[in-house]
Amino acid sequence: MRYSAFGLIKEALSGHKGWRPQWRDAAPKPAYDYVIIGGGGHGLATAYYLAKEFGGARIAVLEKGWIGGGNVGRNTTIIRSNYLLDGNEPFYEFSLKLWENLEQDLNYNAMVSQRGILNLIHSDAQRDAARRRGNAMILNGSDAELLDTAGVRAMYPFLNFDDARFPIKGGLLHRRGGTVRHDAVAWGYARGADQRGVDIIQNCEVTGLRIDGGKVCGVETSRGYIGAGKVGVSVAGNSSRVMALAGMRLPIESHVLQAFVSEGLKPFIPGVITYGAGHFYCSQSDKGGLVFGGDIDMYNSYAQRGNLPVVEDVVESGMSLIPALGRARLLRSWGGIMDMSMDGSPFIDKTHIDGLYFNGGWCYGGFKATPAAGYCFAHLLKTDRPHETATAYRLDRFMTGRMIDEKGQGAQPNLH
Amino acid sequence: MIINHPLLGPRDAQEFTYLGDAGLMNRPYWLSETALQQFHDYLYLRQNPAGEHRELWFHEQGDRSWLVVTRNTVTHEILKVELARDVALANRAANTPQEALQ
Ligand SMILES: Cc1cc2nc3c(=O)[nH]c(=O)nc-3n(C[C@H](O)[C@H](O)[C@H](O)COP(=O)(O)OP(=O)(O)OC[C@H]3O[C@@H](n4cnc5c(N)ncnc54)[C@H](O)[C@@H]3O)c2cc1C
């Protein structure tokens, strides 16, 4: 069923009785050409682009819970293409271009909103870094504007400009960045993939990888054995556990990141504000809730919930930037488990096992990557060659010295 | 989380900084034939289990001791706390020097 304004009016007038499920509840078949493990945004996007761009194969997505229940539905929904390094910026710019066309492509309202992202500047050194980053962005086809204090004040007069420790000296504005309704991304890709024949199999946990003579031939699941020509793993914070089924150790630690939503307020934050010095970022959802987050909890965790000290820390830095935040009630907070990689950058690569491919290590930045990661992973699965924008995301980069240390924090995952 | 310090008793985890897997105490032997591979694995690869995990915590805002904390990464329950020094000495006593460094 294609969605349209006409269809919406028709349903509104006929009691909304004609809506159909958006994807089939598929049962596993004995074998597929491609099995994607993980029904998050990345896994579903991979299946969608495999089916759409790279032509007719038997494809399944296996999800241990329900699709969209992982990080794709837990993040703070920020999308942007404001990276600095060569290995990164072309990839994220490719992703942003896919976002810009996503709703037309999927015929699905994902509420892609290019409301602009402002990275605040608090010192001369930060201004130099912002100018350099802005130039790198522009050279790679993205957009960037350097604002002075007055420019920031005109946009966000309620910020704490004269903070003794971090006075606001300006900002780097990336107008094409913004937010997307995160769970609609999973649903939209699921619907698009399903329409192209992909089996989306929920409540199907992968518990083993069958490998014969150095080649993967299928997966053991909670719903039985499923044969596979190629297996792509895209399981966000569970990468180490799933790849351990193939005997692999990864340059990854799992950490929890929390997100917060306040009660609904009248619109007063039109865009996204990031405050690197205090590590805090905030936007306002279309329903009026302030959506914000900050640091990870800093120790290995698979708990999908955070602890109180970080709640306090995030709210403190938030109030130091937006004093008015102290008057709002916090409605909800939750946590998601992320793969923190050793240089803070992701992996999209073949493994040494024939037919086994890995997409992971996205840290807390993988939501914005969803379309490009899906596209590039599909490209790799199909052609065995990396997509031109994802050539740097190799698993062996620590051995070869080609790390992508975007934040300059070294090999300490809990600092990225 | 409360960490039960072996010398100081129960302490808030906020007094500590976290380093990671306690395996980081066992530096590879730098003259080994396979030192390059071993140092790569030591520096970058992690077991990263869901469940029991032995890890290093530094009592930065306390007595500045290093602890080995055994913690469940799924429930955040702390099962055991040892002084890293005791663990290192026990490792050394139990192994020949080269193996201790593996
Ligand atoms: C609080 C928070 C805020 C964030 N904010 C942002 C942001 O603002 N911008 C941004 O770009 N990124 C952000 N991120 C990061 C981003 O959400 C993730 O990097 C990205 O969503 C991960 O990819 P995914 O969507 O495929 O993962 P997921 O949605 O987690 O998908 C992985 C799926 O694999 C499944 N799975 C795991 N093991 C198995 C198994 N054995 N068998 C079958 N299925 C399995 C899981 O159930 C899960 O559904 C944030 C993350 C968090 C937690």
Side-chain angles (χ1 to χ4, degrees), chain A residues 186-237:
Chain A
W187 302 333
Y189 274 122
R191 173 171 166 274
D194 178 83
Q195 285 173 346
R196 286 165 180 78
V198 173
D199 279 358
I200 294 163
I201 304 165
Q202 305 186 79
N203 297 309
C204 182
E205 177 170 5
V206 171
T207 53
L209 292 167
R210 206 178 278 180
I211 295 161
D212 195 16
K215 186 178 179 344
V216 75
C217 44
V219 296
E220 314 280 354
T221 79
S222 54
R223 295 175 73 174
Y225 176 75
I226 301 173
K230 291 183 174 179
V231 174
V233 177
S234 203
V235 293

Side-chain angles (χ1 to χ4, degrees), chain A residues 7 52 113 193 216 275 300 310 331 414:
Chain A
K52 178 173 177 248
S113 163
V216 75
Y275 171 36
N300 290 40
V310 175
L331 283 196
N414 59 4

Side-chain angles (χ1 to χ4, degrees), chain A residues 38 40-42 63-64 71-72 75-76 78 206 236 364-368:
Chain A
H42 287 216
E63 165 55 48
K64 74 171 171 182
N71 285 350
V72 67
N75 63 71
T76 38
I78 302 167
V206 171
Y364 35 73
F367 178 64
K368 71 181 77 67

